[in-house]
Each structure stands twice: as structure tokens, then as C-alpha cells.
Amino acid sequence: MTQNPTSTPRQTGDTACCSEFAALSRRSLLRGALALGGASTVVGSAVVSASASSIVPASSVLVVLSLRGAADGLSLVVPHGDPVYYAARPRIAIPKASLLAQDAFFGLHPKLAPLLPLWNAGSLAAVHASGLPAPNRSHFSAMEQLEDADPGSSARVGWLNRLVGTRNHQTPLQAVGVVSGPPPTELVGPVPLMTVGSLADMEIAGDDQYDTDPAGKRRRSLQTLWGTERGPLGVAMRSAMQATTDFTPVRSTADNTASYGDSDLGRALSEVARVIRGNVGVEVLTVDQGDWDMHTGLGTLEWGQMITNAGNLATAVAAFFGDLGDQAGKVTLVALSEFGRRVVENDNYGLDHGYGNAMLVAGAGVKGGQYYGTWPGLANTLDADLTVTTDYRSVLAEIVSTRFGSSTASVFPGFTPQILGVMRSA
């Protein structure tokens, strides 16, 4: 087997390890939003807002998977029909003979094999040459723009926050987040959020009797203290206690993490599946996977970071859809990245920051088994990018309209979506 070269030849373009992304990659892996109104409070690690109401099972669930660090879409969804791809990447290009799900122009990375059953069943599609409306090579700035999805606005409101705000019902667990840090931009906005450190943390801190006595000592004390308080803090405290009770079905679901492979992404998606199987009304969940910033050591089919990441991605996503049980028919997953990589490989078996990318859409409502988008052609010059011909918001807008029936004008202000047909009509 060929080993990763030990020499360190000259690196072109960006630095081998982005200090910006190194800081950003410490952001939490699994996050979400709680769609409620009113004040916020903290009970243990749970931040809950507004008043309690009965659980309304979600009719549709959206999972947004962010491949942090700028994944190379040209490696995941390979344009084998464009000869420039092979000329620009003499060492790291994926041979045409190794590609999966080939049509006349595109094929999937061979490490995505666990996703072939979804592709062949028409439940997985790829959209190429997609991305932001204008190039942006800064991880932080591109993430902010991607998640805000409202270019030119001075308001810091995320598109998922706007989506949740369009719903005509509100419950304590309309969405839930497991996070050790602040929420991402896509969830920030006027709709307050709820976050917990992990699924196990969704309980009243210090309520040691909770597992055997839902009205444990700490809970009874809080109920006595806040049960008749009419102000916003009293409302929020009662909501927090109600939310922890309503979350019980999630904690009681089977933990099938072992089937997801040994990766952080697998562990995160296994927790997402438990939340969905709990059927407590969650509609939006977000997941981050880092380590896609491959300036060096992207590698070949024999070694490198890409074969590891692509394999972990495929194993985890395939296990996720196999773990949803009777909830699978309502779940749509979209995978995207803040920007792509350059067309031309650098001297270190890697790729520098680029522009256009590929998106993957899987699950309920997807018109899969095919590739979407208009191919712009590649150029074999040092700074060449894959040009964006499909604004990523067009893909998200189809999901928003077909799966949630929400107004795309409300979720993506001032934007007129391109019709792609990647989603089936509601």
C-alpha cells in the first residue's frame, strides 16, 4: 500500500492549516433550536423559553448536516466527463473506473458505497456547482453568509430560525439542540432557542430522584417556588420543567450508536435519530462535522483524509436512515459546506480554498438517483474555481416549500429560487 509522503514540498495558496478553521472546528457537533415565544431561563444545562404546551408530533423533520472546513465536492461527486478534472489533479483525481452511480458525466466517490441503496432507491440526489451567490474564502464569513441566507441584511437572523418562525404551532420541543457552545447563525433570531449539552442533560439539574420519581425533591421545590409566579421568569421555569418531562420518550429510546461506525459524526447522528424516534415534535436539527479543510494530505484512494472522511460520512448517514424506524418517511437530510476547493491540486496532495461545491439531499420527498445542476466547465489554472451555477438557497427553498409548506419568501427574503426539481411536490 502506498503511504502518505513524509516530505513537505512547497504549499501553494492558503496555509497548510487554517488558524481560522482550527478555532471554528471547536464548535459543537450537534445543535438545534426550540421554537417558542417569551422569556428564557436556565435549568441545569437546558435553556428553555416560553410557556409549555402539549407535544405536537412533527409531520416533517429537517436535518441540516454541515461539512465544516469546506469539503471538496469535486472528490465526493466527481465530474469524470470533464477532462480538465484529471489534468488539474494528476495525483489525487478519482479514477473513472472506481466511481459509483455513474452517468455520462458524474460519479460518486467509491467510499460513499454505503449510500448506494439510498441512491438506487431514488432517495439520494446530488446537486453540483452549488454554493453562495458570490465567492468567499473565509471560513467564518462564509459560514455566517451561508447560515444567514439573507445577503445585504444587517439583521443577524438565521434561515432556520425564520423557517421555524413560519410554523403555525409552537410546542416546547418543536426543535431541540445538543450543544456545548452558542447556537450557529442559522438558528439565531427572534425565535428563542433551547440547548442541552447532551440528551442525558435534558433533566432538572440536581433532581437525583428523577429517574424513579418524576416529581423528585428538586422538581417539587421548583414547582413550589415558581408554580404560581405570573411573570415571564415563572412562565419560563414552568416551561423548562414541562419540557424535561415531555423529553422522556427520547431518553427511553434505544441507543444504536454501535451501528454508526467509530466517528464523531456517527455518534452525533445516532443522537439525532433518537430525538426523531422519540417523536416529541422536533422539526429542525443541525449537525456539524469538521475536519474537511484539507490543504494537505487529501490523498488518493490508498491513503489520506478524504477516504476517511468520505467513508465516515457514508457509514453514518446510511446508519442514520436505517435507524429511524417508523419515522423515516418524514425525515429529509441536506448536506452542504461553506465553500468548495480549488480545481487544481497543490504540492502537498491537497487543495486550497475555492468556491463552488456539491450538495447531497436524502430522505423524504427527494427525487433521487440523479445529479442536478448546470455544469459550467473547469479551468486548469492555479486559481481556478468551480463556478456556482445553482444558488444553494434554491435547493433549500425546495425543501422548505415541499416538506414544510412554508413561504420561501419569508425564509429567504428577496430571493427568487431557481426550479431544480430535486424535491417531489407536496
Side-chain angles (χ1 to χ4, degrees), residues 135-338:
N136 186 331
R137 301 192 204 281
S138 163
H139 292 293
F140 180 79
S141 178
M143 288 179 192
E144 289 280 302
Q145 290 189 28
L146 191 83
E147 296 175 359
D148 181 271
D150 187 11
S153 172
S154 60
R156 191 170 185 263
V157 180
W159 74 273
L160 287 175
N161 194 285
R162 293 193 294 269
L163 170 60
V164 173
T166 66
R167 310 299 285 147
N168 58 10
H169 64 276
Q170 293 186 343
T171 72
L173 295 175
Q174 188 174 346
V176 65
V178 182
V179 56
S180 58
T185 300
E186 58 196 340
L187 298 173
V188 169
V191 176
L193 313 179
M194 182 183 103
T195 61
V196 293
S198 69
L199 300 189
D201 290 334
M202 187 59 178
E203 60 185 17
I204 303 298
D207 198 11
D208 296 334
Q209 297 187 36
Y210 182 80
D211 289 339
T212 57
D213 180 7
K217 291 180 180 179
R218 182 70 182 278
R219 181 177 291 263
R220 287 197 299 269
S221 296
L222 289 170
Q223 287 172 340
T224 299
L225 183 62
W226 298 104
T228 58
E229 172 61 43
R230 295 179 179 272
L233 188 55
V235 171
M237 289 295 293
R238 290 191 295 275
S239 177
M241 290 185 284
Q242 183 64 49
T244 59
T245 299
D246 290 343
F247 201 70
T248 301
V250 174
R251 285 193 299 270
S252 63
T253 57
D255 183 352
N256 298 321
T257 307
S259 66
Y260 283 75
D262 185 19
S263 70
D264 288 341
L265 177 60
R267 285 181 282 274
L269 284 177
S270 72
E271 295 230 307
V272 172
R274 291 184 65 191
V275 172
I276 295 170
R277 282 189 281 114
N279 201 22
V280 294
V282 177
E283 292 186 315
V284 173
L285 291 131
T286 69
V287 182
D288 287 354
Q289 185 201 13
D291 299 328
W292 290 91
D293 195 23
M294 301 178 192
H295 292 271
T296 65
L298 179 146
T300 69
L301 290 184
E302 284 71 47
W303 65 271
Q305 239 183 311
M306 180 56 72
I307 57 173
T308 299
N309 278 24
N312 287 340
L313 171 66
T315 298
V317 171
F320 169 72
F321 279 102
D323 192 23
L324 292 174
D326 60 4
Q327 301 298 300
K330 63 173 69 172
V331 181
T332 306
L333 179 146
V334 59
L336 70 172
S337 197
E338 64 263 33

Side-chain angles (χ1 to χ4, degrees), residues 379-394:
N380 189 8
T381 59
L382 183 62
D383 294 329
D385 281 325
L386 171 62
T387 302
V388 169
T389 59
T390 297
D391 191 306
Y392 77 104
R393 291 172 293 176
S394 290

